[in-house]
Amino acid sequence: MRVPTLPCLALAMTLPAASLAAAPLPLIPLPEKVEATGSPFLLAKETVIQADEALGGEANLLAAAIGARSGTAPKVVAASGGAAAACIRLTVDPALPVKAEGYAFESSPAGVWIKGKDATGAFYGAQTLLQLLPPAGAAAWATPVPVPGARILD
């Protein structure tokens, strides 16, 4: 069967160039900037979520979502005591160079940092983290789960 090329070409021209390029990570919607950086963070049963006081609700939602998938919800702790080793860190940074409700995400062997321009941005960054994790019941949860090393701005 021959596919008409003109309608396919017209459709391709309406898509943004970024969506035509191979995305380094499987994220929907595709963030504005995504950079795979290499070494992953290993999410283990001992991993904690450290959050600014204003992000307690977002941190608890993230912990519950990870717990629903892995069987063990990470402990949520206050960020007032400085950064814990190898943790997931949720913060708000109004000076972040993104639009309202935007976020920056960075994952490395040292941990995952999610900085929201505001609380909504931190929530969206947490949703990005969840997209990078295996589904509930996956065999991957039997060992520390790798979170791909990445820098994301959206």
Side-chain angles (χ1 to χ4, degrees):
M1 176 176 156
R2 187 166 189 265
V3 178
T5 55
L6 189 56
C8 292
L9 181 59
L11 176 62
M13 291 175 65
T14 64
L15 296 173
S19 67
L20 294 175
L25 298 171
L27 299 170
I28 298 174
L30 186 63
E32 286 185 26
K33 293 183 183 177
V34 179
E35 176 189 356
T37 59
S39 299
F41 169 68
L42 297 178
L43 177 62
K45 292 181 188 215
E46 303 79 31
T47 300
V48 299
I49 297 174
Q50 196 174 42
D52 288 352
E53 186 177 329
L55 297 176
E58 289 79 1
N60 286 321
L61 285 171
L62 178 58
I66 292 171
R69 292 175 185 210
S70 69
T72 306
K75 181 179 176 184
V76 176
V77 299
S80 58
C87 70
I88 298 168
R89 179 85 164 87
L90 289 174
T91 64
V92 169
D93 181 357
L96 201 61
V98 295
K99 63 189 178 304
E101 301 183 354
Y103 67 92
F105 175 103
E106 186 165 352
S107 175
S108 73
V112 174
W113 285 74
I114 299 168
K115 295 179 186 178
K117 178 106 175 169
D118 47 35
T120 303
F123 173 81
Y124 291 146
Q127 299 310 300
T128 295
L129 172 60
L130 291 173
Q131 286 188 58
L132 297 173
L133 299 176
W141 287 109
T143 60
V145 174
V147 177
R151 280 189 203 101
I152 299 169
L153 270 178
D154 194 30

